[in-house]
Amino acid sequence: MKFTLKIWRQKDAKAKGRFETYTVDNISPDTSFLEMLDILNNDLVHKGEEPVAFDHDCREGICGMCSLHIDGRAHGPGKAATTCQIYMRKFKDGATITIEPWRSAAFPVIKDLVVNRSAYDQILQAGGFVSVRTNSVPDANAIPISKADADESMDAAACIGCGACAATCKNGSAMLFVAARVSSLAKLPQGRVEGARRAKAMVAKMDELGFGNCTNTGACQAECPKAVSIAHIARLNREFLSAKFEE
C-alpha cells in the first residue's frame, strides 16, 4: 500500500508550525499506524532529514500516549481504539492522510505531534486519589459493593487520560476525564470519604487550567478510545453541587 502523509511539523511551542508532505510505499495492510510512522522516520533518517516526533509507549491501547488527530478524528478511523490499535487496512490504498497533534489550548505543542498533557496530571494531583489509609485488601464480603456499582466504577476507571475528550470537544472541555476520575472513586466506599473535597478541587483545577465548559454534545464519548460514558458527567455534576451545598 502507498500513502501520502500531510504531517504537522513544529519545532517547539513558540515556533510557527506547518504541514509537510511525505510519501510511504510498500506498507503492509497489517502494519499499525505507529509502525507506519516508524517506517517513515527510518526513511527520513537515512535521507539525513529530521524524523517526525510523536508520542507513544505501550502500543497496546493502555497508556493513551499515542494522541494523534488523524483525518480530523481523535485517534483515527476506529471506534473505541487508540492510535496504536489502528491498522493501515483502515485506509484506502493511495489515500492522503492528514496527521495533527491534539488541538487544545491546555495541551501546548512540544514538538511536531507531541503535546504537553501535564494539565491532566495537575487535575489528578488536585484530588483524583484516595488519601485515607485503606490498609490491605479486605476479604471479599467485608465491604459489600453491589455489582452494578462495581461495574460502573470500573467503566469510569477505564479512562486512560489520553486527552481525546478535550481535544475533540468544541469547547475544549475536560469534563469526561474529570468525571471518570471522580465517578470511579465515588462508587466505592474507599473514595466516598473524600467525595465532596475531591469534586470541588478537581473542578476548580480544571477551570484554572483553562479547559472549557461542557455543553453535552457527546463528542467526547464518541471519540473516547475506552468508550467512557457521558453519564459519569451527570454524577460529577451531582457530586459538585452536593459539595457546594455542604459548604
Side-chain angles (χ1 to χ4, degrees):
M1 301 178 77
K2 182 177 181 179
F3 301 100
T4 299
L5 309 176
K6 293 181 64 177
I7 301 179
W8 183 260
R9 303 302 305 265
Q10 187 171 337
K11 185 177 181 180
D12 53 46
K14 296 180 180 179
K16 185 176 181 180
R18 68 200 181 282
F19 280 106
E20 290 195 2
T21 303
Y22 304 94
T23 300
V24 288
D25 205 351
N26 297 318
I27 302 296
S28 167
D30 297 324
T31 299
S32 75
F33 199 87
L34 295 188
E35 288 171 336
M36 182 273 296
L37 290 179
D38 286 337
I39 293 170
L40 169 65
N41 278 344
N42 186 62
D43 292 342
L44 292 176
V45 169
H46 279 87
K47 293 176 182 177
E49 299 179 26
E50 181 78 13
V52 177
F54 64 95
D55 225 344
H56 62 95
D57 188 11
C58 73
R59 300 201 177 198
E60 295 178 347
I62 299 172
C63 71
M65 292 183 69
C66 54
S67 46
L68 297 179
H69 247 114
I70 303 170
D71 287 341
R73 289 193 62 182
H75 290 298
K79 188 172 177 61
T82 55
T83 301
C84 63
Q85 294 174 307
I86 302 298
Y87 291 86
M88 299 314 295
R89 56 179 173 266
K90 284 280 187 179
F91 303 89
K92 292 183 179 180
D93 189 14
T96 296
I97 304 172
T98 302
I99 309 168
E100 305 171 77
W102 282 165
R103 298 298 190 185
S104 173
F107 299 146
V109 173
I110 296 175
K111 183 177 181 180
D112 294 341
L113 303 175
V114 181
V115 299
N116 184 345
R117 292 179 297 143
S118 63
Y120 271 12
D121 296 327
Q122 294 179 58
I123 293 173
L124 286 179
Q125 290 164 4
F129 52 85
V130 174
S131 60
V132 296
R133 185 174 177 81
T134 58
N135 297 316
S136 59
V137 179
D139 292 334
N141 297 319
I143 304 178
I145 302 173
S146 71
K147 187 177 187 305
D149 285 345
D151 287 348
E152 201 164 353
S153 175
M154 291 301 102
D155 172 69
C159 170
I160 56 177
C162 67
C165 50
T168 299
C169 176
K170 66 179 183 179
N171 306 318
S173 173
M175 281 289 280
L176 188 63
F177 168 74
V178 177
R181 297 307 187 191
V182 168
S183 194
S184 67
L185 294 173
K187 299 299 291 185
L188 300 177
Q190 296 93 331
R192 189 65 264 156
V193 179
E194 300 173 290
R197 181 197 63 79
R198 177 181 301 111
K200 288 190 294 183
M202 293 182 74
V203 169
K205 179 58 70 172
M206 175 182 67
D207 291 341
E208 176 190 325
L209 292 170
F211 288 100
N213 295 318
C214 173
T215 51
N216 293 312
T217 62
C220 54
Q221 175 181 277
E223 298 296 350
C224 175
K226 297 301 175 182
V228 175
S229 172
I230 57 174
H232 295 296
I233 295 178
R235 173 164 294 102
L236 170 60
N237 289 332
R238 289 197 298 271
E239 292 284 321
F240 181 76
L241 290 174
S242 296
K244 283 296 186 181
F245 283 129
E246 291 174 7
E247 289 181 347

